[in-house]
Amino acid sequence: MRKAFAILMSTLVVCACGHRASGEDPAVRISEEERQARIAIDFTRDSNYIVEYLKPYYPDLTPEQVAAWESTQALEWTMVDGQKRYFRNAGRNLFRIDPEARKVFEAVEGNERDGKDVFLDNYNREVIAEVRSTGSNLVKPVTFKVKYSLTVDPDAVPAGETVRAWMPFPREDQDSHENVELLEASEPEWIIAPDEVEHKSIYMEKKAVAGEPTVFSYTFSFTGKAEWYDFGAEDCLPYDTSSELYKTYTAERNTHIVFTDRIRALADSLTAGIDNPYLKVRSIYGWIVDHYPWASAREYSTLENIPMYVLENRHGDCGQVGLLLVTLCRASGVPARWQSGWMLHPGAVNMHDWSEVYYEGIGWVPTDVSFGRGRGAVRDVDEEYWFYTRGLDAYRIICNSDYSGRFYPPKKFTRSETVDFQRGEVEWEGGNLYFNQWSGWPEEVEYK
């Protein structure tokens, strides 16, 4: 296994150079017909379901209350084939998005603070202390062993046809990752993409068997470290605005990083009178944290402009607010880019997105605006509240160095996830397989 891995990797590095990612993967463009089909999969709830869901919290619920929530998209809905349909998680999201509804929900269900946030309060203090005592930006190593499985539904692909699967794998070009090793794979042949491409994957193929699921699995290990930078605003040097880095990461980029009139006006208002780049970022970060609660997200591929979606709908998941932060930073003259993968906190394993911000004299600094939400318990402790403007905890798998990038080997058909890459991608000669035809998730995570 290890010998084959080394041979394949040496071949890949040579082959990949001619295909080095230099922009958006053409497979991220979907037709309007496909977009509508994906919206229909996301928006499945009818008004009867919503009323029944809300009754335990609003026994005297009126149509006027529902209409008011709909008008603000606190209850997210759209028309599907001429009928009003609500987002599949619209009921639960209402209590996340609408402040008054949240109070009603908490009066019934209680308001227990998320265990992950409680864990991070103490953990982040330890990271800060260790960075300062050791002088290293990388501390508190944790070794992870992860088993990942991807299962294609029986008969989703005709018997005898080849199923092609790309699954997430940790990058090796990150200082916070060490000792990345593939321990086991379900298929005898596989390809691990080089770090030159934005979406790091392990690729496998398998023949479909009639009536049986097509299952791919693999186990890998790596050591992750917390990455935190002990600097102040005064340590940021003036940017070299003529550099290629500055020009690239302060530019617009279709799709999603677009300086609309609203984005420009917002960026100007949030950074008015602020010249220092780190203080600009803090202003943007704090404003997003205060105004945009987390809510379960519809598929990114159905959204034409994610940051504008957040502004118009008053909520966003991790990737959505992350792209809003990147866009506002760039519009404010601060280089920023996307990063994503998984979070591996004990009891809270999930897909996750964040970003990186570049400061002259310091370098690229991980910045997780989504993890700023929930930090209310340490709001009065400056460096702890702003911890995620200067780094990340160790409990991450970094798979993606940008959004809407390229795969190796390339995909032939349109992607299921046109922005991110965390669950995987699957196709066969007949076309792409969408998320309703397969599932992928870490089955086991062990910590050392």
Side-chain angles (χ1 to χ4, degrees), residues 18-39:
H19 300 278
R20 182 164 181 159
S22 58
E24 190 177 83
D25 185 341
V28 304
R29 301 293 183 177
I30 65 173
S31 68
E32 181 59 21
E33 181 181 8
E34 176 65 20
R35 193 174 82 90
Q36 291 300 325
R38 295 181 179 193
I39 288 173

Side-chain angles (χ1 to χ4, degrees), residues 410-430:
K411 267 191 114 266
K412 183 181 294 186
F413 298 100
T414 301
R415 291 161 52 168
S416 292
E417 172 54 89
T418 58
V419 177
D420 214 347
F421 171 66
Q422 296 159 309
R423 285 171 282 186
E425 291 286 335
V426 188
E427 66 183 28
W428 66 291
E429 281 305 308

Side-chain angles (χ1 to χ4, degrees), residues 104-121:
V104 172
F105 180 86
E106 291 173 354
V108 175
E109 305 289 352
N111 182 23
E112 185 175 346
R113 190 158 175 252
D114 185 272
K116 169 178 57 64
D117 289 329
V118 174
F119 165 76
L120 288 172
D121 285 350

Side-chain angles (χ1 to χ4, degrees), residues 44-105:
T44 56
R45 306 299 192 184
D46 62 17
S47 57
N48 290 332
Y49 174 89
I50 292 298
V51 169
E52 289 303 311
Y53 185 93
L54 296 178
K55 270 187 176 179
Y57 308 97
Y58 292 92
D60 300 319
L61 183 68
T62 66
E64 290 75 20
Q65 282 180 297
V66 173
W69 289 324
E70 289 176 355
S71 69
T72 63
Q73 282 291 302
L75 264 179
E76 191 169 3
W77 66 277
T78 191
M79 299 300 291
V80 176
D81 296 330
Q83 296 182 323
K84 179 182 283 187
R85 288 290 180 264
Y86 296 86
F87 177 54
R88 53 187 167 78
N89 289 329
R92 180 66 183 91
N93 275 354
L94 169 67
F95 299 116
R96 296 166 172 143
I97 298 167
D98 186 272
E100 293 305 314
R102 188 183 310 127
K103 292 177 184 176
V104 172
F105 180 86

Side-chain angles (χ1 to χ4, degrees), residues 286-306:
W287 184 82
I288 293 174
V289 166
D290 287 343
H291 290 85
Y292 296 96
W294 184 90
S296 176
R298 56 189 283 187
E299 289 298 335
Y300 289 3
S301 62
T302 67
L303 301 173
E304 295 179 2
N305 184 316
I306 287 175

Side-chain angles (χ1 to χ4, degrees), residues 190-201:
W190 37 263
I191 297 174
I192 294 178
D195 287 319
E196 281 82 359
V197 295
E198 291 97 337
H199 299 310
K200 181 83 170 187
S201 67

Side-chain angles (χ1 to χ4, degrees), residues 96-97 102 262-263 266-267 269-271 279-295 306-332 336 352-355 357 367-375 379 385-386 388-389:
R96 296 166 172 143
I97 298 167
R102 188 183 310 127
R262 185 170 179 181
I263 287 289
L266 179 57
S269 70
L270 292 174
T271 61
L279 296 182
K280 286 184 178 181
V281 172
R282 277 178 52 137
S283 178
I284 293 167
Y285 176 103
W287 184 82
I288 293 174
V289 166
D290 287 343
H291 290 85
Y292 296 96
W294 184 90
I306 287 175
M308 288 302 297
Y309 171 84
V310 175
L311 296 180
E312 291 165 359
N313 291 272
R314 303 185 299 119
H315 64 85
D317 76 345
C318 54
Q320 292 170 338
V321 295
L323 267 175
L324 176 60
L325 179 129
V326 168
T327 303
L328 289 171
C329 284
R330 289 194 184 191
S332 303
H352 192 55
D353 310 312
W354 55 96
S355 53
V357 177
T367 305
D368 191 341
V369 66
S370 185
F371 267 47
R373 300 180 289 198
R375 312 303 319 141
R379 182 124 201 187
Y385 179 71
W386 300 104
Y388 289 100
T389 63

